[in-house]
Amino acid sequence: MKLLALPAFTDNYIWMISDGSQAIVVDPGDAAPVLQALQDFQLSLAAILVTHRHPDHTAGLPALRPVLQGPVYGPKHESIEGIDIHVGDGDRFETLGLTFEAWDTPGHTEGHVSYLALPAEGMPWPQTLVFCGDTLFSAGCGRLLGGTAEQLLHSLDRLAELPADTWLCPTHEYTVSNLRFASAAEPGNQDVAEALSQSLALRARGEFTLPTTVARERQINPFLRCRQPTVAAQALKQGAPDASALSVFTTLRQWKNHYPA
């Protein structure tokens, strides 16, 4: 079993799992990279997973329908044309020999879901593999475009409670810009400084910074660290009304909205 990241448009990845003859793709905002990969690796398309309603995650669905040999899974709390099977929190399904569980992870949008590929023997990932869409990015999180700060904080907390070696597969390569913000949100965090240096080197070589892991995000992601006094102190300087996790998180998210890329 292989995990591939297919670059689509600017900073956007379409994730593909392949067993050598069939494939699953996640959030196909563009059909062209998927069709090319299917041709290059001589794969059939067994299923599509969609995390939320935004076009950069769904626009490729119509063009992929003619080659699709299975269903399109998508969130039950959002209206998305082309979804065959609507899933919500705790729903499980099997495809390509893997068991997936849907988690409701609202905040970026009101009905966003994440997909967990549960542990199985012979997989390249050591624990659970999570397709988290735009809920969590490496060192960051999605904007609030339909959900609430309270929802997004809860969703991130839930992902952060997964085992440390869980692989996380966001849809966007925002790591470098997120780490620059993380450096401001927690100036003394040496893990952030090291991660930024590593990520800059990877991108300079044309390599991906993803997937990431729960362990890494616990160290470098300020949106998972809003209960840390060092992060709260910076949020208070930015106008947070108090040092509660929700106030710190909300302030960080607003600050990041206007932070230079």
Side-chain angles (χ1 to χ4, degrees):
M1 199 74 73
K2 292 184 178 180
L3 176 68
L4 303 172
L6 309 178
F9 32 89
T10 306
D11 297 327
N12 195 85
Y13 293 155
I14 299 167
W15 292 99
M16 173 182 280
I17 298 177
S18 163
D19 68 358
S21 60
Q22 295 179 291
I24 304 164
V25 296
V26 184
D27 284 346
D30 183 0
V34 178
L35 293 170
Q36 188 64 55
L38 294 175
Q39 178 179 319
D40 290 346
F41 299 110
Q42 297 185 313
L43 302 170
S44 59
L45 184 57
I48 297 173
L49 314 183
V50 174
T51 62
H52 65 288
R53 57 182 167 78
H54 289 151
D56 59 334
H57 298 250
T58 64
L61 290 175
L64 292 174
R65 178 63 70 176
V67 302
L68 179 61
Q69 298 182 6
V72 179
Y73 297 89
K76 66 172 55 174
H77 299 300
E78 294 195 350
S79 177
I80 302 171
E81 187 173 354
I83 300 300
D84 300 310
I85 299 176
H86 293 85
V87 294
D89 202 61
D91 288 340
R92 291 191 176 191
F93 57 91
E94 293 188 6
T95 183
L96 222 63
L98 297 171
T99 299
F100 288 86
E101 181 173 321
W103 276 14
D104 288 343
T105 50
H108 175 62
T109 64
E110 61 279 11
H112 193 296
V113 297
S114 295
Y115 296 95
L116 285 67
L118 302 182
E121 290 187 12
M123 297 300 106
W125 46 90
Q127 263 286 349
T128 302
L129 174 70
V130 183
F131 297 107
C132 48
D134 286 2
T135 294
L136 179 146
F137 305 129
S138 186
C141 69
R143 290 174 180 260
L144 298 171
L145 299 176
T148 67
E150 186 173 12
Q151 286 176 325
L152 187 51
L153 175 59
H154 176 75
S155 296
L156 292 169
D157 283 345
R158 190 177 183 189
L159 293 173
E161 290 171 359
L162 286 164
D165 53 354
T166 298
W167 287 16
L168 300 168
C169 299
T171 305
H172 297 284
E173 175 68 74
Y174 293 158
T175 309
V176 168
S177 62
N178 286 341
L179 285 166
R180 287 177 174 142
F181 173 74
S183 299
E186 193 175 9
N189 188 327
Q190 188 59 35
D191 292 320
V192 169
E194 292 174 2
L196 179 56
S197 177
Q198 293 165 359
S199 297
L200 285 167
L202 286 170
R203 297 306 290 153
R205 297 195 298 267
E207 298 178 23
F208 306 149
T209 66
L210 302 170
T212 184
T213 66
V214 167
R216 181 176 176 85
E217 295 310 307
R218 288 173 184 165
Q219 294 175 323
I220 66 171
N221 194 322
F223 296 98
L224 302 187
R225 297 175 59 81
C226 54
R227 295 172 181 84
Q228 296 294 322
T230 48
V231 177
Q234 297 302 311
L236 288 168
K237 290 179 181 179
Q238 294 294 320
D242 54 62
S244 68
L246 182 57
S247 292
V248 171
F249 177 84
T250 302
T251 301
L252 288 179
R253 186 56 267 178
Q254 293 170 344
W255 182 13
K256 178 65 169 66
N257 289 347
H258 307 291
Y259 196 81

